[in-house]
Amino acid sequence: MNRREHGGEYIEFSYDGRSVRLPIVTGTEGDKAIDIRDLRKQSGLITLDPGLVNTGSCRSGITYIDGERGILRYRGYPIEDLVENCEFVEVAYLLVHGALPKADEREHFSDLLNRHSMIHEDMRNFFRNYPEHAHPMAVLSAMVISLSTFYPELESSSDEEMDITVTRLLSKLRTIAAFSYKKSVGEPFVYPSHRLRYCENFLNMMFSSPVVDYQIDPKVVRALDQLLILHADHGQNCSTSTVRLVGSSGANLYASVAAGICALWGHLHGGANQGVVEMFERIIRDGGNVDKVIELAKRKDSGFRLMGFGHRVYKTYDPRARLAKKVCHDLLEHLGKSDAMLDIAMRLEEKALKDDYFIERGLYPNVDFYTGIIFQAIGIPTNMFTVMFAIGRLPGWIAQWLEHRADREQKIGRPRQLYVGPHEHHFGGGGHRPSERASAK
Ligand code: CMC
């Protein structure tokens, strides 16, 4: 039963002769939650919520999502405004520091990012020893945790030192990403340049070589900036929750982010952008038949899902997908490219959105549906798409990790479980000793 009294709203029920009373808490946008912290103490019960579908793990002031209305805001700013008006570095600052930078703060931040963009020379040797076919996400995660061995001062928790660690990570991640690409194509590493801005620098490190200068195209830089902004944060998704959970044990920022990168890699999460383009390629090889893929995705026994479709929170069009679609159209038009994949994507979207299976389940394109086509147009290889997602998501992970660390309500993350294994049993009387089992082989 739901009641309201002087101290606020609460929910009340009785279980096993005990009366249980739990407060209802309200967020700034009116969302409500039952605060179950005392549930076990009052009732002896725990909650069971596989996939944490109904579980809020924290209060957060970073990102607001309304999945029914397709709203996404970072620190109160609508994603549409940020994509239109900001550079990625400004949005990173907004997420990490809580407010958009003033002009002098912006310049100072850029300056710091430039100053910390190199990686220790000894780390270059690490790249040489990975096999040629190593997936860049594995390299990225391993290199991020390796940073903690080169920059041990992060063990101090002063604000100033933390700022340096944060800036280092933001800056070095794109250098690591570009170096891992250079290694995979057998070209020499290109160092970051203090003359270039964040995204320009990344593109230059990726695509220039001693024999070919990379011609920076402002429209391509802008598209990259916008894509990174679209990925910058998204509440308590799988990788962000991983970052928070690892951080909750007291592990440092590099360790937490390295774990977040691993979580992002999965095909149901950030790995979906690679999966989408591979799906488009299969459709093209198959003569462009989108119906076949839709039918396959609807068949439960196929084990196949329409990649880039569906979302835990959005039950309407993902606002990031809408923006990415526009960026995609604009960039391809600018580059004068007619793209077979864009054509497939649009036909697939149109058909799926008219299909009862997708309508009934509220399945719409998500952020990953169009981004791969853009990355490909920029020249980024398919196996690096999820690395791009990671570069974009990094400020969000950092902001969430810092918020978690400062949150006095938080404790080490430690869910419970409902045990469903065997009852207690003993050796003898039908039980086996391990040695008996081994000799029975
Ligand atoms: N294709 C076909 N059926 C789907 C799809 C899909 N892409 N997504 C969900 N469904 C079905 C699912 O089979 C289930 O059907 P039923 O109710 O009959 O059992 C229903 O829709 C609900 O799905 P769910 O698995 O309970 O939903 P979820 O919230 O646990 O999963 C998701 C969300 C994103 C993992 C899922 O939609 C999915 O696998 N999508 C494809 C992978 C993808 O694009 N991932 C990127 C997500 S956005 C970026 C990010 O967060 O990284």
Side-chain angles (χ1 to χ4, degrees):
M1 188 185 294
N2 173 12
R3 292 179 193 279
R4 185 184 292 276
E5 68 173 27
H6 216 49
E9 228 181 328
Y10 60 89
I11 195 154
E12 197 171 42
F13 63 95
S14 60
Y15 173 75
D16 207 16
R18 296 200 245 179
S19 111
V20 182
R21 185 178 149 121
L22 302 167
I24 292 184
V25 289
T26 309
T28 47
E29 296 293 334
D31 300 336
K32 298 203 172 202
I34 309 169
D35 183 339
I36 61 159
R37 258 174 288 197
D38 283 339
L39 174 66
R40 189 163 172 275
K41 200 154 66 178
Q42 291 185 39
S43 67
L45 296 169
I46 62 161
T47 56
L48 182 63
D49 187 18
L52 307 177
V53 178
N54 303 289
T55 299
S57 59
C58 60
R59 298 177 205 248
S60 179
I62 301 171
T63 286
Y64 175 69
I65 307 171
D66 181 330
E68 270 68 40
R69 291 191 293 155
I71 292 172
L72 170 62
R73 299 183 202 132
Y74 300 159
R75 302 276 190 196
Y77 291 99
I79 186 70
E80 292 79 7
D81 287 2
L82 294 170
V83 164
E84 180 70 28
N85 298 304
C86 291
E87 283 182 40
F88 173 62
V89 164
E90 294 169 302
V91 172
Y93 189 99
L94 168 71
L95 289 168
V96 172
H97 294 281
L100 281 168
K102 299 194 187 78
D104 57 330
E105 290 167 334
R106 166 76 175 84
E107 282 322 300
H108 178 64
F109 190 46
S110 285
D111 187 43
L112 278 182
L113 287 171
N114 266 329
R115 224 174 307 149
H116 290 292
S117 57
M118 307 242 282
I119 55 171
H120 195 288
E121 280 294 290
D122 288 348
M123 283 185 79
R124 289 171 17 130
N125 298 326
F126 296 1
F127 289 99
R128 298 189 207 292
N129 294 319
Y130 287 111
E132 210 89 299
H133 58 267
H135 196 287
M137 284 298 276
V139 177
L140 194 71
S141 176
M143 294 304 269
V144 166
I145 188 63
S146 301
L147 286 173
S148 66
T149 65
F150 285 87
Y151 303 99
E153 64 266 34
L154 70 100
E155 298 300 339
S156 150
S157 58
S158 78
D159 284 354
E160 204 182 326
E161 294 239 314
M162 189 41 74
D163 252 5
I164 294 175
T165 301
V166 163
T167 319
R168 271 198 183 123
L169 191 49
L170 280 170
S171 190
K172 291 182 197 310
L173 195 75
R174 83 200 138 147
T175 310
I176 292 171
F179 278 22
S180 70
Y181 170 67
K182 285 297 193 193
K183 149 77 192 178
S184 73
V185 291
E187 288 185 10
F189 301 132
V190 175
Y191 285 99
S193 159
H194 68 276
R195 280 186 292 274
L196 300 174
R197 294 174 90 81
Y198 191 92
C199 287
E200 294 172 342
N201 234 327
F202 173 71
L203 291 168
N204 190 58
M205 284 191 280
M206 287 282 290
F207 301 123
S208 71
S209 81
V211 290
V212 186
D213 278 342
Y214 177 68
Q215 299 301 325
I216 290 176
D217 177 338
K219 289 250 165 64
V220 171
V221 175
R222 186 73 198 119
L224 180 58
D225 247 317
Q226 292 177 313
L227 277 199
L228 295 183
I229 293 171
L230 287 180
H231 288 96
D233 194 53
H234 210 239
Q236 306 311 312
N237 55 82
C238 178
S239 56
T240 302
S241 297
T242 301
V243 169
R244 279 187 178 251
L245 191 61
V246 174
S248 79
S249 74
N252 66 50
L253 182 62
Y254 297 125
S256 308
V257 167
I261 291 170
C262 294
L264 185 73
W265 191 1
H267 69 283
L268 296 183
H269 192 10
N273 57 12
Q274 177 173 341
V276 169
V277 161
E278 287 167 354
M279 176 179 78
F280 291 158
E281 283 167 351
R282 271 201 309 277
I283 296 173
I284 291 171
R285 276 199 305 275
D286 218 21
N289 189 346
V290 296
D291 296 321
K292 208 164 139 187
V293 168
I294 290 177
E295 289 313 312
L296 196 66
K298 285 158 60 175
R299 260 188 33 218
K300 293 285 169 205
D301 60 354
S302 72
F304 172 78
R305 286 186 167 197
L306 204 57
M307 298 312 287
F309 251 75
H311 196 274
R312 171 64 59 79
V313 182
Y314 294 118
K315 298 303 163 204
T316 182
Y317 213 103
D318 181 338
R320 303 168 301 171
R322 182 168 285 121
L323 292 162
K325 187 175 178 179
K326 178 163 180 344
V327 174
C328 186
H329 276 289
D330 292 352
L331 184 68
L332 292 183
E333 192 182 297
H334 168 70
L335 296 174
K337 285 192 181 178
S338 72
D339 194 310
M341 274 196 198
L342 182 57
D343 175 53
I344 298 285
M346 293 201 317
R347 283 200 289 125
L348 194 55
E349 176 187 333
E350 198 189 336
K351 287 252 165 139
L353 292 184
K354 285 187 187 142
D355 190 298
D356 283 347
Y357 175 94
F358 294 88
I359 296 169
E360 280 158 17
R361 289 168 179 77
L363 303 171
Y364 291 84
N366 61 47
V367 67
D368 294 317
F369 197 67
Y370 285 100
T371 52
I373 302 177
I374 309 172
F375 290 139
Q376 201 167 59
I378 292 176
I380 291 161
T382 315
N383 69 353
M384 288 245 341
F385 290 177
T386 314
V387 169
M388 302 309 297
F389 193 145
I391 296 174
R393 182 57 54 88
L394 182 62
W397 286 334
I398 294 174
Q400 301 269 354
W401 186 90
L402 290 170
E403 186 177 68
H404 196 93
R405 191 165 161 265
D407 184 349
R408 295 288 130 230
E409 275 190 334
Q410 287 297 340
K411 297 163 176 270
I412 185 167
R414 207 294 180 196
R416 286 187 178 264
Q417 62 173 18
L418 191 64
Y419 176 70
V420 293
H423 292 298
E424 180 178 2
H425 58 133
H426 298 273
F427 294 116
H432 292 284
R433 298 174 67 96
S435 58
E436 285 169 0
R437 237 190 277 148
S439 61
K441 270 192 206 159

